[in-house]
Amino acid sequence: AILLPHNPAPIRLIDLYAQGVVLYVPGEPLIHKWIWANRPFGGFDGMPVYRSMPTQAFPNTSSVPPPAGHPPFSGTAYLARWAITQHIPDRRYWLQYTEWELMPGLARFAGIPELLTKLRGRSVQRVEELRETMSAYLQARRADALAWWRAALAE
């Protein structure tokens, strides 16, 4: 399947990944063309309510403020002034924490010619390698989740 990321937190990605579907996704820098520029996430064309930020910190929460200077890049600055050439370090920084980057076994392409070459030249062996990588990652995630839930419910 070929997926063009429409937001940083996709549901479709993990669904297809868990089924062992080999996924072709854009790599950097091409991925930035889609992942941040969307209405549901609050991209530059999103409704004002999606792009709004609270004016003050919430005093009665259990959250801990981040250390000084962290995160080093804004996750929302690009919303105020959109340009494909603006806020590139910010977007690159936050991309590394998305499933588009964290999940191993995704077949990345830099453009349509490379995608077509990869599709035409894929082998059964390469498909199996990608599926094994994806399966191992999912098994490790499930083990982590089960360990957390067992610990949380044991109290």
Side-chain angles (χ1 to χ4, degrees), residues 126-151:
R126 180 64 180 144
V127 168
E128 286 306 313
E129 288 171 359
L130 291 171
R131 286 185 173 147
E132 287 174 18
T133 299
M134 294 160 63
S135 178
Y137 176 74
L138 283 174
Q139 289 174 24
R141 260 181 96 168
R142 286 182 188 122
D144 286 346
L146 284 172
W148 186 91
W149 278 107
R150 286 182 181 124

Tab-separated table of all heavy atoms in Angstrom, residues 126-151:
chain	number	residue	atom	x	y	z
A	126	ARG	N	12.445	-9.585	-0.158
A	126	ARG	CA	12.409	-8.245	0.467
A	126	ARG	C	11.090	-8.028	1.196
A	126	ARG	O	11.062	-7.472	2.291
A	126	ARG	CB	12.622	-7.160	-0.604
A	126	ARG	CG	12.592	-5.760	-0.062
A	126	ARG	CD	13.726	-5.511	0.902
A	126	ARG	NE	13.658	-4.149	1.404
A	126	ARG	CZ	13.973	-3.797	2.641
A	126	ARG	NH1	14.418	-4.681	3.500
A	126	ARG	NH2	13.870	-2.545	3.017
A	127	VAL	N	9.985	-8.445	0.615
A	127	VAL	CA	8.677	-8.317	1.258
A	127	VAL	C	8.665	-9.092	2.571
A	127	VAL	O	8.208	-8.591	3.606
A	127	VAL	CB	7.542	-8.784	0.315
A	127	VAL	CG1	6.232	-8.937	1.062
A	127	VAL	CG2	7.397	-7.810	-0.847
A	128	GLU	N	9.200	-10.303	2.572
A	128	GLU	CA	9.254	-11.110	3.798
A	128	GLU	C	10.148	-10.469	4.854
A	128	GLU	O	9.836	-10.496	6.046
A	128	GLU	CB	9.696	-12.540	3.496
A	128	GLU	CG	8.622	-13.358	2.818
A	128	GLU	CD	7.299	-13.358	3.580
A	128	GLU	OE1	7.295	-13.570	4.812
A	128	GLU	OE2	6.261	-13.118	2.934
A	129	GLU	N	11.268	-9.885	4.437
A	129	GLU	CA	12.154	-9.189	5.382
A	129	GLU	C	11.421	-8.029	6.053
A	129	GLU	O	11.522	-7.838	7.268
A	129	GLU	CB	13.399	-8.664	4.668
A	129	GLU	CG	14.380	-9.725	4.256
A	129	GLU	CD	15.487	-9.175	3.362
A	129	GLU	OE1	15.493	-7.965	3.046
A	129	GLU	OE2	16.355	-9.979	2.958
A	130	LEU	N	10.697	-7.240	5.258
A	130	LEU	CA	9.954	-6.111	5.813
A	130	LEU	C	8.876	-6.597	6.777
A	130	LEU	O	8.700	-6.036	7.864
A	130	LEU	CB	9.332	-5.268	4.693
A	130	LEU	CG	10.312	-4.474	3.827
A	130	LEU	CD1	9.604	-3.870	2.630
A	130	LEU	CD2	11.000	-3.401	4.653
A	131	ARG	N	8.168	-7.648	6.409
A	131	ARG	CA	7.117	-8.191	7.274
A	131	ARG	C	7.688	-8.727	8.580
A	131	ARG	O	7.094	-8.570	9.642
A	131	ARG	CB	6.327	-9.265	6.548
A	131	ARG	CG	5.397	-8.695	5.513
A	131	ARG	CD	4.545	-9.763	4.883
A	131	ARG	NE	3.555	-9.148	4.007
A	131	ARG	CZ	3.105	-9.703	2.910
A	131	ARG	NH1	3.527	-10.901	2.552
A	131	ARG	NH2	2.218	-9.080	2.172
A	132	GLU	N	8.839	-9.379	8.523
A	132	GLU	CA	9.485	-9.878	9.747
A	132	GLU	C	9.900	-8.722	10.652
A	132	GLU	O	9.731	-8.791	11.873
A	132	GLU	CB	10.692	-10.742	9.385
A	132	GLU	CG	10.320	-12.094	8.829
A	132	GLU	CD	11.528	-12.882	8.345
A	132	GLU	OE1	12.672	-12.551	8.740
A	132	GLU	OE2	11.325	-13.829	7.569
A	133	THR	N	10.431	-7.662	10.065
A	133	THR	CA	10.812	-6.476	10.844
A	133	THR	C	9.592	-5.875	11.521
A	133	THR	O	9.620	-5.537	12.707
A	133	THR	CB	11.473	-5.425	9.924
A	133	THR	OG1	12.651	-5.997	9.359
A	133	THR	CG2	11.820	-4.158	10.660
A	134	MET	N	8.502	-5.745	10.784
A	134	MET	CA	7.267	-5.172	11.318
A	134	MET	C	6.702	-6.052	12.432
A	134	MET	O	6.283	-5.550	13.483
A	134	MET	CB	6.250	-4.992	10.184
A	134	MET	CG	6.689	-3.950	9.157
A	134	MET	SD	5.860	-4.081	7.550
A	134	MET	CE	4.181	-3.767	7.954
A	135	SER	N	6.705	-7.355	12.228
A	135	SER	CA	6.166	-8.274	13.224
A	135	SER	C	6.973	-8.229	14.520
A	135	SER	O	6.402	-8.196	15.616
A	135	SER	CB	6.164	-9.693	12.658
A	135	SER	OG	5.691	-10.597	13.626
A	136	ALA	N	8.290	-8.197	14.413
A	136	ALA	CA	9.141	-8.133	15.605
A	136	ALA	C	8.884	-6.844	16.387
A	136	ALA	O	8.807	-6.854	17.625
A	136	ALA	CB	10.613	-8.231	15.212
A	137	TYR	N	8.732	-5.739	15.676
A	137	TYR	CA	8.451	-4.462	16.334
A	137	TYR	C	7.108	-4.511	17.065
A	137	TYR	O	6.997	-4.081	18.211
A	137	TYR	CB	8.464	-3.339	15.295
A	137	TYR	CG	8.085	-1.989	15.855
A	137	TYR	CD1	8.962	-1.280	16.651
A	137	TYR	CD2	6.832	-1.434	15.590
A	137	TYR	CE1	8.623	-0.045	17.175
A	137	TYR	CE2	6.483	-0.201	16.108
A	137	TYR	CZ	7.374	0.490	16.899
A	137	TYR	OH	7.031	1.705	17.409
A	138	LEU	N	6.089	-5.048	16.410
A	138	LEU	CA	4.769	-5.147	17.051
A	138	LEU	C	4.798	-6.065	18.267
A	138	LEU	O	4.169	-5.761	19.291
A	138	LEU	CB	3.733	-5.650	16.050
A	138	LEU	CG	3.239	-4.622	15.054
A	138	LEU	CD1	2.329	-5.289	14.032
A	138	LEU	CD2	2.509	-3.494	15.743
A	139	GLN	N	5.514	-7.169	18.195
A	139	GLN	CA	5.618	-8.065	19.342
A	139	GLN	C	6.274	-7.362	20.525
A	139	GLN	O	5.829	-7.512	21.670
A	139	GLN	CB	6.387	-9.330	18.963
A	139	GLN	CG	5.611	-10.246	18.042
A	139	GLN	CD	6.446	-11.424	17.565
A	139	GLN	OE1	7.405	-11.817	18.206
A	139	GLN	NE2	6.076	-11.970	16.411
A	140	ALA	N	7.313	-6.584	20.264
A	140	ALA	CA	7.984	-5.842	21.337
A	140	ALA	C	7.047	-4.784	21.932
A	140	ALA	O	7.006	-4.602	23.157
A	140	ALA	CB	9.263	-5.192	20.809
A	141	ARG	N	6.276	-4.101	21.083
A	141	ARG	CA	5.313	-3.101	21.581
A	141	ARG	C	4.240	-3.739	22.430
A	141	ARG	O	3.842	-3.204	23.458
A	141	ARG	CB	4.653	-2.379	20.398
A	141	ARG	CG	5.254	-1.033	20.127
A	141	ARG	CD	4.575	-0.336	18.996
A	141	ARG	NE	3.549	0.578	19.444
A	141	ARG	CZ	2.970	1.468	18.674
A	141	ARG	NH1	3.312	1.564	17.405
A	141	ARG	NH2	2.049	2.268	19.132
A	142	ARG	N	3.737	-4.887	22.002
A	142	ARG	CA	2.717	-5.598	22.775
A	142	ARG	C	3.270	-6.030	24.118
A	142	ARG	O	2.593	-5.914	25.142
A	142	ARG	CB	2.210	-6.803	21.996
A	142	ARG	CG	1.308	-6.447	20.856
A	142	ARG	CD	0.784	-7.690	20.139
A	142	ARG	NE	0.078	-7.302	18.946
A	142	ARG	CZ	0.385	-7.710	17.722
A	142	ARG	NH1	1.391	-8.552	17.533
A	142	ARG	NH2	-0.312	-7.302	16.687
A	143	ALA	N	4.496	-6.545	24.137
A	143	ALA	CA	5.113	-6.971	25.397
A	143	ALA	C	5.265	-5.783	26.349
A	143	ALA	O	4.977	-5.904	27.551
A	143	ALA	CB	6.468	-7.620	25.122
A	144	ASP	N	5.690	-4.641	25.829
A	144	ASP	CA	5.804	-3.432	26.667
A	144	ASP	C	4.452	-3.015	27.217
A	144	ASP	O	4.326	-2.665	28.392
A	144	ASP	CB	6.407	-2.271	25.861
A	144	ASP	CG	7.890	-2.424	25.622
A	144	ASP	OD1	8.533	-3.265	26.289
A	144	ASP	OD2	8.411	-1.695	24.757
A	145	ALA	N	3.440	-3.026	26.371
A	145	ALA	CA	2.099	-2.611	26.800
A	145	ALA	C	1.549	-3.571	27.848
A	145	ALA	O	0.985	-3.133	28.869
A	145	ALA	CB	1.152	-2.540	25.600
A	146	LEU	N	1.724	-4.864	27.640
A	146	LEU	CA	1.233	-5.839	28.617
A	146	LEU	C	1.956	-5.694	29.955
A	146	LEU	O	1.336	-5.776	31.013
A	146	LEU	CB	1.393	-7.259	28.081
A	146	LEU	CG	0.379	-7.669	27.023
A	146	LEU	CD1	0.762	-9.017	26.419
A	146	LEU	CD2	-1.019	-7.729	27.611
A	147	ALA	N	3.264	-5.476	29.909
A	147	ALA	CA	4.021	-5.285	31.150
A	147	ALA	C	3.525	-4.053	31.900
A	147	ALA	O	3.364	-4.075	33.128
A	147	ALA	CB	5.514	-5.160	30.840
A	148	TRP	N	3.272	-2.982	31.172
A	148	TRP	CA	2.777	-1.764	31.818
A	148	TRP	C	1.416	-2.004	32.463
A	148	TRP	O	1.187	-1.623	33.601
A	148	TRP	CB	2.686	-0.622	30.803
A	148	TRP	CG	2.313	0.663	31.454
A	148	TRP	CD1	3.172	1.605	31.947
A	148	TRP	CD2	0.994	1.162	31.705
A	148	TRP	NE1	2.461	2.645	32.483
A	148	TRP	CE2	1.122	2.404	32.359
A	148	TRP	CE3	-0.280	0.676	31.459
A	148	TRP	CZ2	0.028	3.168	32.745
A	148	TRP	CZ3	-1.369	1.432	31.854
A	148	TRP	CH2	-1.208	2.656	32.485
A	149	TRP	N	0.495	-2.626	31.713
A	149	TRP	CA	-0.848	-2.873	32.246
A	149	TRP	C	-0.815	-3.817	33.433
A	149	TRP	O	-1.558	-3.641	34.409
A	149	TRP	CB	-1.780	-3.394	31.159
A	149	TRP	CG	-2.332	-2.274	30.333
A	149	TRP	CD1	-1.987	-1.951	29.045
A	149	TRP	CD2	-3.281	-1.299	30.741
A	149	TRP	NE1	-2.674	-0.834	28.640
A	149	TRP	CE2	-3.483	-0.417	29.678
A	149	TRP	CE3	-3.998	-1.073	31.923
A	149	TRP	CZ2	-4.349	0.651	29.724
A	149	TRP	CZ3	-4.872	-0.014	31.976
A	149	TRP	CH2	-5.040	0.840	30.891
A	150	ARG	N	0.025	-4.840	33.392
A	150	ARG	CA	0.139	-5.756	34.530
A	150	ARG	C	0.622	-5.005	35.772
A	150	ARG	O	0.113	-5.215	36.869
A	150	ARG	CB	1.071	-6.907	34.196
A	150	ARG	CG	0.439	-7.913	33.258
A	150	ARG	CD	1.364	-9.085	32.979
A	150	ARG	NE	0.723	-9.995	32.053
A	150	ARG	CZ	1.239	-10.378	30.895
A	150	ARG	NH1	2.432	-9.934	30.514
A	150	ARG	NH2	0.574	-11.200	30.116
A	151	ALA	N	1.591	-4.139	35.597
A	151	ALA	CA	2.107	-3.352	36.725
A	151	ALA	C	1.054	-2.369	37.224
A	151	ALA	O	0.865	-2.194	38.432
A	151	ALA	CB	3.382	-2.623	36.322
